[in-house]
Amino acid sequence: MNSATVDDVLRIYGLENWGAGYFSINRNGHLAVHPEKEDARTADVYELVRELIDQRKLAPPFLLRFPQILGAQLRRLCLAYESAAKQFEYTGGHFPVFPMKVNPRREVVEEFLREGKRQAVGVECGSKAELYAALSLEQPPDSLLVCNGFKDETFLRLALLGVQSGKRVVIVIEKLNELKLALKLAEETGALPWIGLRAKLYSKGSGKWASSGGESAKFGLTTSEILECVRLLRAANKLGSLKLLHFHIGSQITDVKRVKNAMKEAARVYAKIRQMQIEVEYLDIGGGLGVDYDGSKTTFEGSVNYSIEEFANNVVYTIKSVCDDEQVPHPHLVTESGRVMTAYHTLFVTEIRDEIETFADDIPMAAVDDDDPQVIYELKSLLDGVNSKNYREYYHDALDQKDELHTQFNLGLVSLEDRAKGEVLFWEICAKASQLAHQADADEPEFDELKRILAAKYLCNFSVFRSAPDSFAINQLFPIMPIHRLNELPTDFATLADVTCDSDGCIDHFVDLKDVKQVLELHKFNDQQPYFVALFLTGAYQEVMGSFHNLFGQPTEAQVVIDAGGRYHLTKLITGSRIGDMLNFAKYDKQQCLENFQRQIAAQVVGGRLDQAHAESAMKQYEQSVNGSTYLE
Ligand SMILES: *Cc1c(COP(=O)(O)O)cnc(C)c1O
């Protein structure tokens, strides 16, 4: 294999910048996944996909889940806090909890709990359904079950059931009324939950979720509310159950400076409470540890300017300094990192099905002749004359002539055939001008835009709304690249269109070290050879926030484990949604559908518009389709 080519391909897609050591290109030019950072063992993703299709007879799109990466990320997080504690002589412990809202799948939560036995890894939940699921899971002793979010009586009662079942439940108070109700119910049931207080910090995070912190944040208690909680607890003789102080200044904090500021403020609040002779032992610093989606290590919203280790160092050092200054004990640190724990562990793979071209250059067209209108003539001579010196001017002239063409068409002066001829000439001029601008290395916004317009749209068998909703909703960037042909330079520029009937169902912004790319380098598509691409870092938030737009359902899911010998095993397969599943979702009844369709067919037969044989085969086909995939097959 030509290693120069692979170096170029690595540079184009940047997987060494954003991959955190979990991805590489193997000898066959295929994407490889490592179960652990820079582990020599790998799974060949192309082979895996071929096995799913050829042997297991499954069809893309596929969600590939690598649970080992969850464990590896958790170990990285724990090690980072452990080393920081050692380095700065921090005497408190570290209690990670997994925030379920990031990825509530049982496989994911259980993997953390299994992996985190030694570390007393717990769970954080923010709703009754999450709490209900959490109550069923076996947690390591001493690990916490943190209840956040707005709570009603049922939520609080569920939390108390957790206490009764022997779990270390912390009810984090978001509103004063919650505390009053919690105290009443605890009295009634005799269960003794731990109480946490969520503080509203003045400090804000940075990036997209900065408004989760600061004075106008949705969650948390103001300083006077915190003091009122203390008063209520004291009055109820329950001050001893106040164990934890919590804050969360927003997800994906891009700038480590903001982390330090928030920690300073939070540690002071903790110290002042501690000095009131209240033995709060845990400081819960929330989530916010971000993922470097574009690999640029900057404060750009899709990036972060720190590593996990730097984040942990800053947290531990800052809290230690404040506590030493205030002469209070170092609290145990509770961390609620979810995004960075889960983002890397899934890979969404699908195939390019077709190419949607801006203009079809393969349809034969009549030559320009003397009978053609003047405007066609003008366009033809622009096309013949465009060169490296005049491409800018000729391109502008072509824009004028195209307007002229459409004006004349609307006045009835130009035929449909001539309009087609004129449009093709116009796009040919554009393609030439764009190529000349590229050769001249001209950094001109209008030609960047032209390149984007001329870029092919690759029709990709998936739904953005189901599998990468943040791409549509908040313009989140996800790294995307092919999983094979990586020993071959990509020569096309394309954007991706999904199979939904929604023009927002496309991806036209891609990761880049210095910028955001508007087109992605891809290999020339041909319909003889299947071409597969993967979306990376989709393991956080995407699965649970994906919607059923257009009734495309779940992709087929495969769980992959790599053994000590470096062989991969498919440890779980979950077939993707069938048409019937989506009928249920939209409240159709399968039997009713069949009966209604049958009635319409029967009416056609009675009316003599359909014979019996065709009617029977139509019925059979309709009935069988319900078991088919919602995606293109
Ligand atoms: C969403 C959330 C988290 C997870 O944050 P990440 O940035 O994904 O790690 C943690 N704690 C609370 C309270 C949250 O709302």
Side-chain angles (χ1 to χ4, degrees):
M1 174 169 73
N2 184 343
S3 65
T5 308
V6 172
D7 285 346
D8 283 339
V9 171
L10 283 170
R11 191 182 39 73
I12 287 168
Y13 296 116
L15 80 164
E16 291 179 334
N17 305 320
W18 48 255
Y22 295 118
F23 310 104
S24 64
I25 297 176
N26 71 15
R27 240 181 296 139
N28 297 323
H30 298 165
L31 175 74
V33 172
H34 303 244
E36 182 105 37
K37 189 183 174 182
E38 279 137 28
D39 194 319
R41 299 171 298 158
T42 59
D44 182 316
V45 177
Y46 180 71
E47 268 179 30
L48 223 158
V49 165
R50 289 260 55 122
E51 172 173 347
L52 291 171
I53 295 172
D54 301 335
Q55 272 118 62
R56 313 275 177 151
K57 306 294 172 212
L58 295 164
F62 299 125
L63 181 94
L64 305 180
R65 192 186 300 287
F66 294 89
Q68 285 163 306
I69 293 181
L70 294 172
Q73 283 297 95
L74 179 61
R75 286 193 295 278
R76 247 189 105 175
L77 181 82
C78 293
L79 189 63
Y81 276 94
E82 221 170 276
S83 318
K86 212 172 268 166
Q87 187 184 344
F88 302 117
E89 298 177 335
Y90 192 87
T91 54
H94 175 218
F95 292 79
V97 294
F98 176 67
M100 285 181 74
K101 76 158 192 272
V102 180
N103 194 323
R105 278 292 295 271
R106 184 163 62 86
E107 292 84 347
V108 174
V109 185
E110 283 183 346
E111 186 65 24
F112 278 114
L113 293 176
R114 184 166 41 245
E115 183 59 44
K117 277 208 180 98
R118 210 171 40 89
Q119 277 286 338
V121 170
V123 176
E124 184 260 9
C125 52
S127 71
K128 286 181 273 189
E130 286 178 4
L131 176 55
Y132 194 97
L135 289 179
S136 75
L137 301 170
E138 201 74 51
Q139 277 189 227
D142 296 338
S143 69
L144 306 179
L145 172 52
V146 176
C147 301
N148 280 328
F150 295 116
K151 299 166 204 77
D152 62 5
E153 184 172 332
T154 328
F155 195 147
L156 291 167
R157 284 191 188 278
L158 276 173
L160 296 176
L161 290 182
V163 177
Q164 287 171 333
S165 70
K167 287 192 161 68
R168 188 165 276 181
V169 178
V170 189
I171 298 176
V172 177
I173 303 300
E174 307 264 8
K175 311 284 313 152
L176 265 179
N177 282 339
E178 280 176 13
L179 180 60
K180 292 180 189 159
L181 191 54
L183 287 172
K184 191 181 112 198
L185 297 174
E187 193 65 42
E188 205 181 291
T189 56
L192 292 173
W194 284 8
I195 300 292
L197 298 181
R198 180 163 183 171
K200 205 175 260 188
L201 293 189
Y202 180 71
S203 312
K204 283 190 177 189
S206 58
K208 232 163 216 151
W209 287 274
S211 58
S212 307
E215 290 154 295
S216 53
K218 172 173 162 192
F219 296 105
L221 303 161
T222 61
T223 317
S224 55
E225 285 172 324
I226 289 178
L227 294 172
E228 178 61 10
C229 284
V230 168
R231 199 190 60 78
L232 285 171
L233 282 162
R234 182 172 280 131
N237 208 12
K238 286 275 167 24
L239 212 44
S241 58
L242 178 50
K243 293 281 192 188
L244 178 142
L245 185 69
H246 170 56
F247 62 94
H248 169 72
I249 60 167
S251 202
Q252 187 70 11
I253 302 170
T254 54
D255 189 352
V256 73
K257 268 200 304 248
R258 304 297 183 108
V259 177
K260 271 190 270 195
N261 289 342
M263 296 305 143
K264 262 186 215 157
E265 186 185 348
R268 288 286 168 196
V269 177
Y270 158 79
K272 299 298 178 197
I273 294 180
R274 201 73 214 220
Q275 287 163 353
M276 293 161 74
Q277 312 309 321
I278 301 168
E279 301 210 337
V280 175
E281 292 169 39
Y282 296 79
L283 183 58
D284 178 348
I285 67 163
L289 175 47
V291 167
D292 195 356
Y293 289 95
D294 70 4
S296 66
K297 295 197 169 57
T298 61
T299 58
F300 175 64
E301 58 190 22
S303 185
V304 290
N305 68 354
Y306 53 79
S307 63
I308 295 182
E309 291 74 19
E310 283 168 85
F311 187 96
N313 284 344
N314 276 290
V315 167
V316 171
Y317 177 78
T318 310
I319 294 174
K320 180 206 145 79
S321 308
V322 173
C323 290
D324 289 355
D325 185 47
E326 296 273 2
Q327 298 184 329
V328 294
H330 302 164
H332 295 311
L333 294 177
V334 180
T335 60
E336 301 182 341
S337 281
R339 183 186 294 274
V340 79
M341 290 297 97
T342 53
Y344 298 92
H345 92 288
T346 65
L347 203 59
F348 180 77
V349 177
T350 188
E351 61 178 331
I352 306 287
R353 293 291 295 229
D354 211 337
E355 192 178 349
I356 305 166
E357 286 176 296
T358 310
F359 71 102
D361 53 9
D362 52 357
I363 298 174
M365 205 193 49
V368 177
D369 60 41
D370 291 349
D371 297 339
D372 286 335
Q374 182 66 18
V375 58
I376 302 284
Y377 239 71
E378 298 288 343
L379 283 165
K380 177 77 170 95
S381 61
L382 286 170
L383 176 62
D384 291 342
V386 63
N387 63 36
S388 61
K389 292 213 178 70
N390 66 17
Y391 68 86
R392 199 173 296 103
E393 180 193 337
Y394 273 42
Y395 170 59
H396 294 156
D397 287 351
L399 287 171
D400 291 342
Q401 292 300 334
K402 186 188 65 163
D403 284 345
E404 182 60 28
L405 176 74
H406 288 130
T407 307
Q408 292 193 14
F409 176 78
N410 289 346
L411 291 171
L413 303 174
V414 164
S415 70
L416 205 53
E417 282 77 16
D418 284 339
R419 176 177 160 165
K421 213 186 265 187
E423 283 174 351
V424 170
L425 288 167
F426 169 75
W427 286 114
E428 284 178 352
I429 299 164
C430 292
K432 253 193 171 169
S434 172
Q435 200 183 4
L436 290 163
H438 184 72
Q439 279 162 10
D441 234 349
D443 192 14
E444 293 164 271
E446 81 180 318
F447 286 100
D448 286 346
E449 177 65 8
L450 185 59
K451 180 163 139 187
R452 196 183 61 75
I453 294 169
L454 288 169
K457 277 193 177 59
Y458 276 16
L459 183 66
C460 207
N461 193 10
F462 81 122
S463 155
V464 166
F465 307 95
R466 171 71 254 162
S467 297
D470 278 346
S471 168
F472 145 76
I474 56 168
N475 268 328
Q476 158 97 52
L477 291 166
F478 294 100
I480 301 174
M481 62 180 270
I483 62 165
H484 57 142
R485 296 174 70 180
L486 297 169
N487 43 11
E488 210 184 299
L489 268 188
T491 53
D492 257 28
F493 292 99
T495 58
L496 301 180
D498 76 1
V499 290
T500 66
C501 305
D502 191 315
S503 38
D504 282 329
C506 66
I507 300 184
D508 54 9
H509 44 284
F510 303 96
V511 304
D512 186 42
L513 266 194
K514 294 205 192 71
D515 206 345
V516 175
K517 284 197 261 199
Q518 300 203 309
V519 289
L520 180 68
E521 293 90 340
L522 286 172
H523 298 92
K524 185 109 207 111
F525 171 78
N526 69 61
D527 36 18
Q528 267 84 61
Q529 191 192 13
Y531 187 48
F532 300 99
V533 294
L535 270 72
F536 295 78
L537 315 194
T538 55
Y541 298 104
Q542 305 315 295
E543 281 174 67
V544 70
M545 302 219 297
S547 75
F548 293 110
H549 192 14
N550 254 160
L551 299 185
F552 285 102
Q554 306 280 2
T556 287
E557 186 179 319
Q559 187 164 292
V560 188
V561 170
I562 304 168
D563 69 19
R567 294 162 68 93
Y568 73 76
H569 302 273
L570 294 168
T571 50
K572 192 181 244 183
L573 281 176
I574 304 171
T575 314
S577 301
R578 307 285 96 187
I579 287 173
D581 300 326
M582 291 298 97
L583 288 182
N584 289 341
F585 166 78
K587 307 288 178 245
Y588 291 87
D589 178 79
K590 263 189 244 178
Q591 198 52 41
Q592 194 78 57
C593 286
L594 269 180
E595 283 167 21
N596 290 354
F597 188 71
Q598 180 142 40
R599 196 157 1 96
Q600 295 170 65
I601 290 285
Q604 292 298 97
V605 175
V606 171
R609 292 176 295 271
L610 196 67
D611 64 36
Q612 196 56 39
H614 280 103
E616 273 166 27
S617 113
M619 258 335 281
K620 206 162 144 196
Q621 212 181 319
Y622 184 74
E623 195 173 350
Q624 283 169 353
S625 301
V626 80
N627 298 318
S629 163
T630 54
Y631 289 93
L632 303 185
E633 286 177 294

